[in-house]
Amino acid sequence: MAGVIRNILFIMFDQLRFDYLSCAGHQHLHTPNIDALAARGVRFSRAYAQSTICGASRMSFYTGRYVSSHGAAWNNFPLKVGEMTLGDHLRKHAVRSWLVGKTHMKADDEGMDRLGISRESIIGARVSECGFDVFVRDDGLWAEGVDGFYDTRRSPYNEYLKEKGYPSDNPWADNANAGVDSDGNIASGWFMKNARLAANIAEEDSETPWLTSRAIEFLESAEARQPWLCHLSYIKPHWPYIVPAPYNDMYDRRHIQPAIRNPGERQHPHPVYEQFMSGAVGQSFQRDVVRETVIPAYMGLIKQCDDQIGRLFAHLENSGRMADTMIVLTSDHGDYLGDHWLGEKELFHDPSVRIPLIVYDPRREADAARGSVCDALVESIDLAPTFLEAIGAPIPGHILEGCSLTPFLHGHSPATWRRFAVSEYDYAATPVAAALGLPPRDARLFMIVTDRWKFVHAEGGFRPMLFDLRTDPYEFRDLGGQPQYARIIDEMYKYLFEWARRQSQRTTVADERVLAMRKGGSARKGILLGVYDEDEADPQLLEKYRGKAMKPASR
Amino acid sequence: MAGVIRNILFIMFDQLRFDYLSCAGHQHLHTPNIDALAARGVRFSRAYAQSTICGASRMSFYTGRYVSSHGAAWNNFPLKVGEMTLGDHLRKHAVRSWLVGKTHMKADDEGMDRLGISRESIIGARVSECGFDVFVRDDGLWAEGVDGFYDTRRSPYNEYLKEKGYPSDNPWADNANAGVDSDGNIASGWFMKNARLAANIAEEDSETPWLTSRAIEFLESAEARQPWLCHLSYIKPHWPYIVPAPYNDMYDRRHIQPAIRNPGERQHPHPVYEQFMSGAVGQSFQRDVVRETVIPAYMGLIKQCDDQIGRLFAHLENSGRMADTMIVLTSDHGDYLGDHWLGEKELFHDPSVRIPLIVYDPRREADAARGSVCDALVESIDLAPTFLEAIGAPIPGHILEGCSLTPFLHGHSPATWRRFAVSEYDYAATPVAAALGLPPRDARLFMIVTDRWKFVHAEGGFRPMLFDLRTDPYEFRDLGGQPQYARIIDEMYKYLFEWARRQSQRTTVADERVLAMRKGGSARKGILLGVYDEDEADPQLLEKYRGKAMKPASR
């Protein structure tokens, strides 16, 4: 029996690529603080997000379930009331889950109203916040356009900046995410050409240091005296791509790794891929000027994240928390940055679906594995069971669909492990679905990745996509249309079929109870089936029936 | 635009075979009252239950969703809090759903506690009762054994009998479901040999007349002055197989139709089928004496049901309700009664999975179809959307998985209709799963039925079962192991795969909203993606950014 963890620090970055860390091989971006965590923990080199968009991916992290199991398939699709979250599972075992930062959670207001759950109640607040108790929530997208704010909640970050004397109505937009042009006018970070400029804000007031300070406040708070999970969830290095000095000047075109793209990808591309390539974002990131302007800023944002992680870890070290706290560092998905002729995320090439995942386990049992790299197929839903096992709680396998990573953390290879990982993307709400003329249910993609193959099934009657990761690690050659791969494609479809038939909704009855029911028991409660006469029944069951005098009923 | 229905009378029998009605061709059992409904409505001759066990099948009727979508896969598996029911959908449109009888609903107590929903609240009571407002609930299984009662709720029926002066502590067991033997002792209906005896109760006090009286009380109550759905849900002709005089004497072996079974079925049977055949119930119903004793009682129970339906319909006629009330008559599943060497239900031969379904629509638009028989593939989940359409409400297609039957009721064939129907059975909690050594997730069966074929996939590595309904209407020859049917089996697996990939959990966002989101709008809320400079953005979007003077931030 392994020792038990007291606290869990669950750090998530937003849109951080798996390969933009020096421990993951980036040539010019040095992330010594994150690398140091990898040196003390296990880095999972083949970790995949359950979806390639914030909201859906996060709901899988937080519920421990696949997207098609929890149903919140896209940004701002409410997580239906009744879905259990990390917070619900941990709370049963006296560990509270605290939020510091972003979740992208949209509450199921209709469901809460139907069930009479008030958002003002503690339960209602947790249901609205994805099971977390809120220390601070800030989703970090305080964009404002001609139709008003993208996110109409209160912004603790904007309130902080205004208190600090930033004069704008929306300093998030005008300071943290904008520079100043030569005429002294606002140069918004929404325009990528401005990515070169320093954000017009004191570095210590920018989003990443601000949130790190909130996390330190949490660690020093009374709340942290009880066992906790703290979800420290940064918005960065997510766009807008702009960063304060000195980070805006640290990198230039010499530090940009070559685009992972190949002219062959544009020959007879899969129709869904073609639509994404031809969209405004794809077109934009196909231009060298965009990559050369944006990527140095993206790298600067990551460098700032690494420095703040260093600051945070120093605090944990000094406060003794490194001894009793499991630390996880990951991201909700990646960023194409022009690779494969695409920007943003959404599809399933590695720059988008593969995520950084580092887990530090303070327990003695983990010493053997420190500094190791694990290339097993890992999914984001594996964290929830890992956390439960870490605090010594049983894993409700009838609800959670992932597998605990504890064996890897303790240097063992489990006897059996998944043969494939799955990711999903529902693009029904996007212009791509409109361009392809697809009804909502046909605008869905499913990825299956195995040791060797990456396969994508697209609903709507399209051919699948297939990549041989062994001979084509950069996923340039889509073999999905080539007859000689029919056998492999059949095998991938078998995996998808097996996965699609999984039992995902029998969440009110645990397997243990199902197994106990096999022993029967209804006979002992008077249900006698297939019994012709007393001689055929277990004599012990008969006392209720034998020789009981019966008065004739009044007619 | 069709007229609108005011009320819905949703009548369900329990374990009533599709073919034990004279309108469905039974040679010796005459059911003139049910036949009369068929003559005024449409009889669906190929209707299938979503599962072959009470609880799971009923939760599909009540949620309008497949078993693997709602998750309540077996008897007494709680329907998880958050699943919407008929009651929830109709209530939105000012129609209340009332329960008179059985649901087999088990409340999700853990989920309700987690969400702070009190069972004493109106909302909590509805959540506990599957969305219904309870006029009377009686699940009709007041069995009592050495470990006490199977169902520990209060029994309104037992209370009624005690008030009427039946002296037993449990007159359901000792009177309604028992006879008296030659020694004047109780002869329990649990022992099938006693099926010959008259139940020791006044006919008018037995379960079916008692519940019919409660339904008439409802129809005369103040509650029925507002638009309503009334779920009149009988326990009969479900076992124990015993019925009061005169019904116990109406039928004998001469009226028993020959067993639908064939010696060939016992040669190399599918392992799952073999286990069910060799179980106590199967063994018992293989004996002629059991069939000859039980079936006349089962027929008597149905005859009594038909007489009570006549009484109920006379009341509806006299009270004018036939003019504004849709009437549905169905069952949750069938009963093997020795066919295919089996008793009870559980597997997917027609006597078990096929259900009677008659729908009477009072609207003028339905005149053309009165008395017709529809052989389209219909599922029990088709009722919920039919009901919503009948009251003039929109159908939430992102939650309900069935298709409205309105076109058939109005004499049209829909342009497109399902090519296959699905039923599921999770036997993980049964001794059969134990005998086969299956873990819970592998003890699941899926049926696909098309115009011509019936196919059963069994998890756990077994071969499938396949029947050619055209050449083998009685399902005697399982072709699932025969290589020459590989192409058909592949086609059936394609259907199952297509079904398994359905989107069943995106229940918080309607398709209409998804389609509206395609038009974008986030740009108008300030999210500018892939925009390098102002010239690339829609000028209308730029006012927030253009020429805005910026004070340098305090450093």
Side-chain angles (χ1 to χ4, degrees):
Chain A
M1 168 56 187
V4 164
I5 299 285
R6 187 175 183 286
N7 312 308
I8 297 163
L9 178 59
F10 173 22
I11 304 169
M12 187 178 290
F13 292 102
D14 197 312
Q15 206 141 329
L16 172 63
R17 278 174 65 129
F18 77 100
D19 56 351
Y20 270 55
L21 300 172
S22 37
C23 60
H26 199 287
Q27 295 308 306
H28 306 291
L29 176 60
H30 298 298
T31 52
N33 298 295
I34 294 173
D35 294 3
L37 187 72
R40 297 174 69 170
V42 176
R43 182 169 68 83
F44 293 90
S45 61
R46 295 196 69 192
Y48 295 90
Q50 249 56 64
S51 185
T52 46
I53 188 163
C54 294
S57 172
R58 288 163 178 272
M59 295 310 115
S60 285
F61 273 104
Y62 305 150
T63 60
R65 291 159 58 73
Y66 291 105
V67 173
S68 55
S69 300
H70 62 64
W74 209 62
N75 287 342
N76 305 315
F77 282 17
L79 181 68
K80 58 175 175 287
V81 68
E83 270 297 308
M84 282 181 78
T85 59
L86 256 181
D88 297 314
H89 293 295
L90 292 172
R91 199 175 298 114
K92 278 186 172 178
H93 306 286
V95 175
R96 275 177 84 173
S97 298
W98 292 92
L99 173 65
V100 179
K102 166 174 181 171
T103 62
H104 220 124
M105 166 72 175
K106 179 88 163 62
D108 177 8
D109 293 323
E110 203 180 322
M112 290 174 72
D113 291 346
R114 191 173 68 247
L115 296 176
I117 301 168
S118 154
R119 295 181 72 144
E120 279 60 53
S121 67
I122 290 177
I123 286 172
R126 286 171 176 161
V127 169
S128 316
E129 294 290 1
C130 211
F132 292 108
D133 289 303
V134 174
F135 189 78
V136 54
R137 173 172 179 174
D138 192 294
D139 274 10
L141 273 184
W142 306 108
E144 193 179 1
V146 291
D147 288 351
F149 277 93
Y150 169 77
D151 184 341
T152 55
R153 298 186 189 83
R154 63 173 275 263
S155 165
Y157 179 58
N158 259 342
E159 289 166 10
Y160 163 85
L161 292 180
K162 290 176 191 176
E163 264 175 40
K164 291 281 301 240
Y166 289 85
S168 163
D169 297 339
N170 184 356
W172 176 89
D174 295 341
N175 295 95
N177 290 284
V180 183
D181 67 17
S182 46
D183 307 330
N185 289 332
I186 183 171
S188 171
W190 288 114
F191 305 113
M192 293 189 286
K193 73 168 185 202
N194 297 329
R196 290 191 177 89
L197 302 172
N200 185 33
I201 191 167
E203 193 274 332
E204 65 270 21
D205 292 335
S206 61
E207 291 160 279
T208 303
W210 171 77
L211 197 68
T212 305
S213 301
R214 301 291 77 72
I216 290 169
E217 269 173 27
F218 169 78
L219 294 168
E220 293 172 341
S221 69
E223 285 77 5
R225 295 202 196 103
Q226 300 300 321
W228 47 263
L229 176 144
C230 174
H231 181 42
L232 172 56
S233 186
Y234 292 99
I235 180 63
K236 292 303 177 184
H238 193 282
W239 41 254
Y241 303 105
I242 189 164
V243 62
Y247 298 99
N248 68 307
D249 267 344
M250 286 184 181
Y251 307 97
D252 59 39
R253 68 175 55 180
R254 290 166 303 154
H255 305 109
I256 299 174
Q257 300 193 141
I260 300 172
R261 67 189 184 197
N262 181 300
E265 292 178 286
R266 306 168 92 168
Q267 310 306 320
H268 320 296
H270 188 283
V272 177
Y273 177 37
E274 181 172 36
Q275 276 300 326
F276 278 99
M277 276 195 290
S278 60
V281 174
Q283 293 287 317
S284 179
F285 276 89
Q286 287 164 29
R287 295 156 57 191
D288 292 340
V289 63
V290 168
R291 296 186 68 250
E292 290 171 5
T293 312
V294 162
I295 293 176
Y298 180 74
M299 291 169 69
L301 286 164
I302 295 168
K303 183 66 178 174
Q304 184 187 30
C305 290
D306 185 71
D307 287 341
Q308 291 299 315
I309 287 297
R311 178 183 160 219
L312 178 68
F313 288 176
H315 183 280
L316 291 166
E317 198 67 71
N318 300 335
S319 57
R321 292 285 72 77
M322 292 303 280
D324 61 10
T325 305
M326 171 176 276
I327 304 175
V328 170
L329 187 147
T330 188
S331 177
D332 58 348
H333 54 71
D335 190 329
Y336 274 108
L337 296 172
D339 291 350
H340 304 287
W341 315 97
L342 296 169
E344 278 281 84
K345 48 260 185 183
E346 306 189 283
L347 293 183
F348 298 111
H349 300 91
D350 276 358
S352 171
V353 72
R354 206 162 149 189
I355 51 176
L357 178 62
I358 298 168
V359 182
Y360 161 75
D361 181 337
R363 289 172 290 189
R364 193 173 71 259
E365 294 85 345
D367 292 347
R370 301 196 190 285
S372 63
V373 177
C374 174
D375 65 358
L377 293 169
V378 166
E379 299 182 323
S380 62
I381 57 175
D382 296 339
L383 290 179
T386 303
F387 294 163
L388 280 165
E389 198 167 22
I391 64 162
I395 297 168
H398 59 301
I399 303 172
L400 300 181
E401 300 188 289
C403 310
S404 169
L405 300 175
T406 311
F408 299 115
L409 299 177
H410 294 179
H412 319 304
S413 319
T416 63
W417 191 249
R418 66 171 59 89
R419 292 153 298 159
F420 59 93
V422 177
S423 190
E424 303 173 72
Y425 183 54
D426 182 333
Y427 61 104
T430 72
V432 169
L436 293 168
L438 297 172
R441 278 163 174 64
D442 285 346
R444 294 183 297 141
L445 302 173
F446 300 86
M447 177 201 80
I448 296 283
V449 63
T450 70
D451 280 350
R452 176 169 180 180
W453 304 98
K454 185 180 284 182
F455 165 86
V456 177
H457 166 68
E459 294 291 330
F462 302 104
R463 67 163 175 88
M465 302 174 227
L466 181 72
F467 299 94
D468 182 344
L469 303 176
R470 186 179 300 164
T471 61
D472 178 29
Y474 291 111
E475 310 172 86
F476 290 147
R477 291 189 303 279
D478 177 359
L479 310 170
Q482 301 192 19
Q484 62 268 42
Y485 292 93
R487 196 184 52 75
I488 302 298
I489 288 168
D490 283 352
E491 190 186 336
M492 298 298 120
Y493 270 119
K494 278 197 184 66
Y495 286 147
L496 180 60
F497 190 13
E498 175 186 321
W499 174 83
R501 296 193 315 268
R502 76 196 181 281
Q503 185 168 44
S504 66
Q505 302 304 318
R506 197 243 297 145
T507 55
T508 58
V509 184
D511 287 14
E512 298 65 31
R513 235 199 85 213
V514 170
L515 292 170
M517 290 169 83
R518 291 181 179 183
K519 301 189 179 68
S522 64
R524 295 187 57 84
K525 293 187 168 181
I527 304 281
L528 300 186
L529 296 182
V531 179
Y532 184 71
D533 61 27
E534 291 83 341
D535 305 343
E536 295 171 13
D538 173 351
Q540 296 179 343
L541 301 178
L542 294 180
E543 69 181 48
K544 287 273 164 196
Y545 311 100
R546 202 184 286 105
K548 193 166 170 183
M550 171 74 103
K551 301 184 195 61
S554 52
R555 297 284 160 105
Chain B
M1 168 58 188
V4 164
I5 299 286
R6 187 174 183 284
N7 312 308
I8 298 163
L9 178 59
F10 173 22
I11 304 169
M12 187 178 290
F13 292 102
D14 197 312
Q15 206 141 330
L16 172 62
R17 276 174 66 130
F18 77 100
D19 57 351
Y20 270 55
L21 300 171
S22 36
C23 59
H26 199 287
Q27 295 307 307
H28 306 290
L29 176 60
H30 298 297
T31 51
N33 298 296
I34 293 173
D35 294 2
L37 188 73
R40 298 173 69 169
V42 175
R43 182 168 68 85
F44 293 90
S45 61
R46 295 197 68 192
Y48 295 90
Q50 249 56 65
S51 185
T52 47
I53 188 162
C54 294
S57 171
R58 287 163 179 272
M59 295 310 117
S60 285
F61 272 103
Y62 305 149
T63 60
R65 290 159 58 74
Y66 290 106
V67 172
S68 54
S69 300
H70 62 63
W74 210 62
N75 287 341
N76 305 315
F77 283 17
L79 181 68
K80 59 175 174 286
V81 67
E83 270 298 309
M84 282 181 79
T85 60
L86 256 181
D88 297 314
H89 294 295
L90 292 172
R91 198 174 299 113
K92 278 187 174 178
H93 306 285
V95 174
R96 274 177 84 173
S97 298
W98 292 92
L99 173 64
V100 180
K102 166 174 179 168
T103 62
H104 221 125
M105 165 71 176
K106 180 89 163 62
D108 176 9
D109 294 323
E110 203 181 321
M112 289 173 72
D113 291 347
R114 191 173 68 246
L115 296 177
I117 302 168
S118 154
R119 294 181 73 142
E120 280 57 55
S121 68
I122 290 177
I123 286 172
R126 287 172 176 161
V127 170
S128 316
E129 294 290 0
C130 211
F132 292 108
D133 289 302
V134 173
F135 190 79
V136 53
R137 174 172 178 173
D138 192 294
D139 274 12
L141 274 183
W142 306 108
E144 192 180 2
V146 291
D147 288 350
F149 277 92
Y150 169 77
D151 184 341
T152 54
R153 297 187 190 83
R154 62 174 276 262
S155 165
Y157 179 59
N158 259 343
E159 289 166 12
Y160 164 84
L161 292 179
K162 290 176 192 176
E163 264 173 41
K164 290 283 299 240
Y166 289 86
S168 162
D169 297 339
N170 183 358
W172 177 89
D174 294 341
N175 295 93
N177 290 283
V180 183
D181 67 17
S182 46
D183 308 329
N185 289 334
I186 183 173
S188 172
W190 287 115
F191 305 113
M192 294 188 286
K193 74 167 186 204
N194 297 328
R196 289 191 179 88
L197 302 172
N200 185 33
I201 191 167
E203 193 274 331
E204 64 271 22
D205 291 336
S206 61
E207 292 160 277
T208 302
W210 171 77
L211 197 69
T212 305
S213 300
R214 301 291 77 72
I216 290 169
E217 270 173 26
F218 168 78
L219 293 169
E220 293 171 340
S221 70
E223 285 76 4
R225 296 205 194 101
Q226 299 301 319
W228 47 264
L229 176 143
C230 174
H231 182 42
L232 172 56
S233 186
Y234 291 98
I235 180 65
K236 292 303 177 185
H238 193 282
W239 41 254
Y241 302 103
I242 188 164
V243 61
Y247 298 99
N248 68 309
D249 267 344
M250 287 184 181
Y251 307 98
D252 59 39
R253 68 173 56 178
R254 290 166 303 155
H255 306 108
I256 300 174
Q257 300 192 140
I260 300 171
R261 65 189 185 196
N262 181 298
E265 293 179 285
R266 306 167 92 168
Q267 310 306 321
H268 320 295
H270 188 283
V272 177
Y273 178 37
E274 181 172 35
Q275 277 299 326
F276 278 99
M277 277 196 291
S278 60
V281 174
Q283 294 286 318
S284 179
F285 276 88
Q286 288 164 29
R287 295 156 58 191
D288 292 341
V289 62
V290 168
R291 296 185 68 250
E292 289 170 5
T293 312
V294 162
I295 293 177
Y298 180 74
M299 291 169 69
L301 285 164
I302 296 168
K303 183 67 178 173
Q304 184 185 31
C305 290
D306 185 70
D307 286 343
Q308 290 300 315
I309 287 297
R311 178 182 161 220
L312 178 67
F313 288 175
H315 183 280
L316 291 165
E317 198 66 71
N318 300 336
S319 57
R321 291 284 73 75
M322 292 304 281
D324 61 10
T325 304
M326 171 177 276
I327 304 175
V328 170
L329 187 147
T330 188
S331 175
D332 57 349
H333 54 71
D335 190 328
Y336 273 108
L337 296 172
D339 291 351
H340 305 288
W341 314 98
L342 296 168
E344 280 279 85
K345 48 261 184 182
E346 307 189 282
L347 294 183
F348 298 110
H349 300 91
D350 276 358
S352 171
V353 71
R354 205 161 148 189
I355 51 176
L357 178 62
I358 298 167
V359 182
Y360 161 74
D361 180 338
R363 289 173 288 189
R364 195 174 67 259
E365 295 84 345
D367 292 348
R370 302 197 189 285
S372 64
V373 177
C374 174
D375 65 359
L377 292 169
V378 165
E379 300 182 322
S380 61
I381 57 175
D382 295 339
L383 290 179
T386 304
F387 294 163
L388 279 165
E389 198 167 23
I391 64 161
I395 296 167
H398 60 300
I399 303 173
L400 300 180
E401 299 185 283
C403 309
S404 169
L405 300 175
T406 309
F408 299 115
L409 299 178
H410 294 180
H412 318 305
S413 316
T416 64
W417 191 249
R418 66 170 61 90
R419 293 152 297 157
F420 58 92
V422 177
S423 190
E424 303 174 71
Y425 183 55
D426 182 332
Y427 60 103
T430 72
V432 169
L436 293 168
L438 296 172
R441 278 165 175 61
D442 285 346
R444 294 183 296 142
L445 303 173
F446 299 87
M447 177 200 79
I448 297 282
V449 63
T450 69
D451 280 349
R452 177 169 179 180
W453 304 97
K454 185 180 283 183
F455 165 86
V456 177
H457 165 69
E459 294 291 329
F462 302 104
R463 68 163 175 87
M465 300 173 228
L466 181 72
F467 299 95
D468 182 342
L469 303 176
R470 185 179 301 164
T471 62
D472 178 29
Y474 291 112
E475 310 172 85
F476 290 148
R477 290 190 303 279
D478 178 359
L479 311 171
Q482 301 192 18
Q484 63 268 41
Y485 291 94
R487 196 184 51 75
I488 302 298
I489 288 169
D490 282 352
E491 189 186 336
M492 298 297 122
Y493 270 119
K494 280 199 183 65
Y495 286 146
L496 180 60
F497 190 12
E498 176 186 321
W499 175 82
R501 295 193 316 268
R502 76 197 181 280
Q503 184 168 44
S504 67
Q505 301 304 319
R506 197 244 297 143
T507 55
T508 58
V509 184
D511 288 14
E512 297 65 29
R513 233 198 85 213
V514 170
L515 292 171
M517 290 169 83
R518 292 181 178 182
K519 300 188 180 69
S522 63
R524 295 187 57 84
K525 293 186 168 181
I527 304 280
L528 301 187
L529 296 182
V531 178
Y532 184 70
D533 60 28
E534 291 84 341
D535 306 342
E536 295 171 13
D538 174 351
Q540 296 179 341
L541 301 178
L542 294 181
E543 70 182 49
K544 289 273 164 196
Y545 311 100
R546 200 183 289 105
K548 192 166 172 183
M550 171 73 104
K551 301 184 195 62
S554 52
R555 296 285 160 107

